[in-house]
Amino acid sequence: MLGKMMHKQLTIGSLIEHAGRFHSSTTVTSVETSGETEHVTWGDIDANARKLAAALGRLGIVQSARCGTIAWNNRRHLEIYFGVSGGGYVCHTINPRLKPEQLIYIINHAEDQVLFIDTTFVPAVAQLRAQFTTVQHIVVMGSKDADIAAQIEGVLFYDDLLDAETADYDWPDLDENLPSSLCYTSGTTGNPKGVEYTHRTSVLHTIGGNQPDGLALRARDTVLAVVPMFHVNAWGTPYMTAAVGAKLVLPGPHLDGASLAKLIDAEKVTVALGVPTIWMGLLQGLEETGCTAESLERTIVGGSALPTVMIPTFRDKYGVDLVHAWGMTETSPIGTLNQLLQKHNELDAEAQAKLREGQGRPMYGIDLRIVDDGGAILPHDGETQGNLQICGHWVIDSYFRAGETALTEDGWFDTGDVATIDGDGYMIIRDRSKDIIKSGGEWISTVELEDIAMSHPDVAQAAAIAAKHPKWDERPVVIAVKRSADVTEADLLAHYQGKVASWQIPDRVVFVESLPLGGTGKVQKNTLRERYEGILLDS
Ligand code: ADP
């Protein structure tokens, strides 16, 4: 080599350092658990994150030790993201809606040394604490409180810890291959599995996931992260907004449509990110509150399939562009995002909207393929369905403490999703392999049946499941929530006529008050299956 370029480590500390140096006066808005709204700046976040890193060192926490969080999206949680990872520890975000036995499992499996908790979770943690085998310090995210101190012996208070430090802590120059954060999958079957990201994979995801045809967040945006910070690092938004210096809005515990609508108007949010159920709620919230969401330009929707009727509703009523994205905990999470190509410029609005209903294309850094059950690679023709596999710079190799690789022999990760990919690389998720309905040897997509149900004006939400059938093994049953009391089972079944092949029309529709949602806002189909899979046998 005749010349040489610098070699800098790709670290989380470098992201917050940039935000602190070049965007220090940009606002971070945080709705606190108390209900108050706090306005701070990236400069404040950087200073506090440094103090936190110093405080963890003072507590004697060793490099790469896991520090758990059970918390909403708020300012202190953001500081913990950067202070813990930037300081060389591992930020382990925990879904607070897990069952107690799963919480205990995850905390012990991760060997968390420190546990940061929002005040909301003080009673639960006080009760479970004796079963945490490795936790040395519980830190309540707030100022000193005698009531809380009486509930958890030896508890520390976040604000006290920071008050004892100064912000002149220098971010260590960590090896980029060290772990930075840890997330567990929701574990709908069996125990949850941990995915440990490194500084390098997180920074590459930050840069790669935020390309112009990716999330495309920029300094002029005001970004509302509705997706929880305990769900795959809020899809990377804390890191991306720090990297570009966007204004970040953290909504706290109340994610109902009315609260979000008011927050969007008050903070002039331009981009918001969350799962479809959140946006269904927002549409209702906008109507209830009379908020206009005037500032909102686009929402990034992922985590489960986007009901296609939402695209024109948001576009025509509120001028909001819905951008569909797909990913998973194992992929940090951004795998694909749906944006158009140059050759689509000439298409009319309807044809463009149609193309954007799917989950989109991989960006630089990610590769996709589909294979059959024997592992043979299938064509990208937009028709052939196969098991979706992925590889790339921010994709898992092995689960936390699993010892063995999770990849195929040739280095791909099998997503558990069934998809088609067309000649331009547009991917459509047809189903999760464990949800898909196998009727008489033929596959029926639950995603498609749900989308049709939700296109009925009187249906608010729907989930399709496989019910056991004496002749066909499995047949589709739709569990739905009414928007209007008038709609009947026969109406909804009639709505399927001509939209799918006649043998794909559901056997039954059951109306319920609400669908069971998991902690991340996704419909829990396993719960529905347990309840309704025998419904066709009984009759
Ligand atoms: P879990 O749902 O198990 O908690 P993840 O949050 O990692 O885990 O979810 C990943 C899964 O969510 C994907 O494998 C896929 O089945 C589903 N998913 C994510 N985004 C979409 C989308 N846009 N459309 C359909 N399914 C999606």
Side-chain angles (χ1 to χ4, degrees), residues 484-496:
S484 127
D486 295 342
V487 63
T488 64
E489 179 172 12
D491 293 338
L492 191 53
L493 291 175
H495 184 66
Y496 280 96

Side-chain angles (χ1 to χ4, degrees), residues 29-289:
T29 303
S30 168
V31 180
E32 293 299 298
T33 310
S34 63
E36 279 162 56
T37 301
E38 198 180 68
H39 293 97
V40 297
T41 64
W42 276 113
D44 299 327
I45 301 292
D46 179 35
N48 280 348
R50 287 173 197 266
K51 289 182 186 178
L52 176 62
L56 290 170
R58 199 181 297 276
L59 287 174
I61 308 302
V62 298
Q63 192 177 65
S64 299
R66 270 73 65 197
C67 301
T69 68
I70 310 182
W72 307 118
N73 290 15
N74 59 36
R75 187 262 297 173
R76 289 182 185 85
H77 205 177
L78 185 65
E79 292 165 2
I80 292 166
Y81 258 54
F82 290 107
V84 169
S85 303
Y89 315 103
V90 176
C91 182
H92 169 210
T93 51
I94 302 165
N95 184 340
R97 298 198 188 91
L98 291 174
K99 295 188 213 121
E101 60 271 23
Q102 282 187 323
L103 274 179
I104 295 164
Y105 171 84
I106 285 182
I107 290 169
N108 292 341
H109 187 260
E111 299 178 337
D112 286 332
Q113 306 279 298
V114 181
L115 200 54
F116 292 96
I117 60 170
D118 258 329
T119 50
T120 318
F121 308 111
V122 166
V125 168
Q127 207 174 17
L128 301 178
R129 185 203 182 152
Q131 295 172 74
F132 300 154
T133 52
T134 57
V135 174
Q136 296 168 18
H137 304 285
I138 294 176
V139 182
V140 170
M141 294 159 63
S143 54
K144 200 185 256 36
D145 180 311
D147 272 0
I148 293 175
Q151 290 179 62
I152 303 179
E153 202 197 318
V155 72
L156 301 174
F157 290 93
Y158 184 90
D159 294 2
D160 285 354
L161 278 182
L162 265 59
D163 284 346
E165 305 294 338
T166 56
D168 57 7
Y169 172 95
D170 285 325
W171 296 115
D173 192 20
L174 300 168
D175 181 331
E176 64 187 19
N177 293 311
L178 282 171
S180 58
S181 68
L182 173 65
C183 290
Y184 281 73
T185 59
S186 58
T188 41
T189 48
N191 272 326
K193 289 186 271 187
V195 182
E196 195 176 46
Y197 311 102
T198 67
H199 287 267
R200 175 187 157 84
T201 64
S202 303
V203 172
L204 290 176
H205 178 261
T206 302
I207 302 168
N210 200 34
Q211 293 164 69
D213 284 325
L215 293 190
L217 307 177
R218 46 183 205 156
R220 293 174 67 184
D221 278 318
T222 295
V223 180
L224 172 64
V226 187
V227 50
M229 291 171 78
F230 56 78
H231 189 208
V232 217
N233 295 323
W235 299 349
T237 22
Y239 305 138
M240 289 176 191
T241 48
V244 301
K247 174 178 166 183
L248 178 61
V249 181
L250 300 170
H254 302 295
L255 305 181
D256 59 284
S259 303
L260 292 177
K262 288 180 204 157
L263 192 59
I264 288 169
D265 278 9
E267 297 296 324
K268 301 203 165 33
V269 169
T270 60
V271 187
L273 303 95
V275 296
T277 43
I278 289 289
W279 306 127
M280 299 291 251
L282 178 68
L283 283 174
Q284 218 176 336
L286 287 167
E287 282 184 17
E288 277 163 29
T289 55

